[in-house]
Amino acid sequence: MPLVAVAHGSRDPRAAATVEALLDQVRRATTVPVRVAYLDHTRPTLAQAMRGLDEAVVLPLLLTEAYHSKVDLPAALNELKAAKPGLRVHYGTTLGPHPLMLSALERRLAEAGVEPGDPDTAVVLVSAGSSDPQANAVIADMAGAWAERGWWGVRAAYASAAEPTPVQAVTALREAGAPRVAVAPYLLAPGYFADKVRDSAGADATAEVLGVAPELVRVLLERYEAALTIRPDSRSRAVAVR
């Protein structure tokens, strides 16, 4: 059954290039037909990506459950189903949270010269941030779980919509006595937020975005298999705008 991965979309061409490169790795790992769609700024749209399909697994290529996965994408799917009543959609969950995400984050930190679990390094886990407090709480929970891997400490931060900001988190860790502070962007692709974090955080090291990480390929395929067990349309209807 085809997999349609739906990313947020960005005016920055680096974002779409990263998404395409990630999905190329997914295609190499499976015989499943893989298509891409974007919610904004970039084509193809979801309607264009779904053209010619009667049934598909739709996966939000997003890192947390928030407005886009809870409202925007289900609403777009409902529009498609209204126009094509026979369309069957198995709507899967977002990439995160997932234990492999921490492994991917540590991979990126290691590439930036930070030894995973270094007891002399504190880490700021930075997400884009959301107006949905539950989404932000997921990042805080991830930081708590990551702190158990040996770091001096791990603190969550948000590039927008919530506090602490990356600068505030870095400053707080330094004031608390952390010998070294590293920033780990919990971001899928380069773009506005990644640049903002890199330019403003003031840490000793800043990792690259998750990008084309093998862990993300594994998570995406796992989400696909799980979505196949979901009754078509059940989840997208449950969270649609009313």
Side-chain angles (χ1 to χ4, degrees), residues 143-195:
W146 204 9
E148 298 177 2
R149 294 197 180 193
W151 301 102
W152 190 92
V154 181
R155 182 164 299 195
Y158 310 93
S160 70
E163 290 187 342
T165 66
V167 173
Q168 289 170 337
V170 170
T171 300
L173 286 168
R174 291 198 192 283
E175 290 176 349
R180 186 186 190 204
V181 180
V183 167
Y186 187 58
L187 301 169
L188 182 62
Y192 172 76
F193 288 127
D195 291 345

Side-chain angles (χ1 to χ4, degrees), residues 101-118:
M101 289 300 182
L102 295 182
S103 299
L105 288 162
E106 289 191 345
R107 172 191 296 275
R108 294 300 180 226
L109 280 171
E111 291 168 357
V114 180
E115 181 180 351
D118 178 12

Side-chain angles (χ1 to χ4, degrees), residues 6-7 13 70 90 92 114 155 207 218:
V6 186
K70 293 178 179 179
H90 304 260
V114 180
R155 182 164 299 195
R218 291 172 59 189

Side-chain angles (χ1 to χ4, degrees), residues 18 20 33 57 65 96 99 121-122 131 133 153 158 160 167 170 221 224 237:
T18 299
E20 294 289 354
V57 169
E65 289 274 5
T121 299
S131 58
Y158 310 93
S160 70
V167 173
V170 170
L221 291 174
Y224 172 84
R237 284 177 181 160

Side-chain angles (χ1 to χ4, degrees), residues 27-235:
R27 293 182 183 101
R28 291 186 175 93
T30 181
T31 58
V32 172
V34 178
R35 299 186 183 187
V36 65
Y38 299 92
L39 289 171
D40 203 3
H41 304 303
T42 311
R43 290 179 181 273
T45 65
L46 179 60
Q48 291 169 334
M50 294 287 287
R51 192 169 294 156
L53 298 180
D54 295 318
E55 187 171 13
V57 169
V58 173
L59 294 182
L61 205 60
L62 306 166
L63 297 178
T64 53
E65 289 274 5
Y67 191 85
H68 293 303
S69 63
K70 293 178 179 179
V71 178
D72 283 346
L73 185 46
L77 287 171
N78 285 342
E79 286 184 13
L80 288 176
K81 287 180 286 185
K84 186 177 181 179
L87 180 65
R88 297 180 299 279
V89 175
H90 304 260
Y91 185 42
T93 58
T94 55
L95 295 176
H98 191 288
L100 283 174
M101 289 300 182
L102 295 182
S103 299
L105 288 162
E106 289 191 345
R107 172 191 296 275
R108 294 300 180 226
L109 280 171
E111 291 168 357
V114 180
E115 181 180 351
D118 178 12
D120 290 326
T121 299
V123 178
V124 177
L125 174 64
V126 183
S127 76
S130 173
S131 58
D132 184 340
Q134 290 183 335
N136 296 331
V138 167
I139 305 305
D141 289 344
M142 283 182 62
W146 204 9
E148 298 177 2
R149 294 197 180 193
W151 301 102
W152 190 92
V154 181
R155 182 164 299 195
Y158 310 93
S160 70
E163 290 187 342
T165 66
V167 173
Q168 289 170 337
V170 170
T171 300
L173 286 168
R174 291 198 192 283
E175 290 176 349
R180 186 186 190 204
V181 180
V183 167
Y186 187 58
L187 301 169
L188 182 62
Y192 172 76
F193 288 127
D195 291 345
K196 180 179 179 182
V197 169
R198 181 169 297 281
D199 293 343
S200 67
D204 297 293
T206 300
E208 295 294 334
V209 297
L210 293 170
V212 190
E215 294 87 354
L216 268 64
V217 174
R218 291 172 59 189
V219 172
L220 199 151
L221 291 174
E222 183 179 308
R223 298 303 195 212
Y224 172 84
E225 293 294 334
L228 288 175
T229 68
I230 299 172
R231 181 171 61 84
D233 308 333
S234 60
R235 191 165 173 269

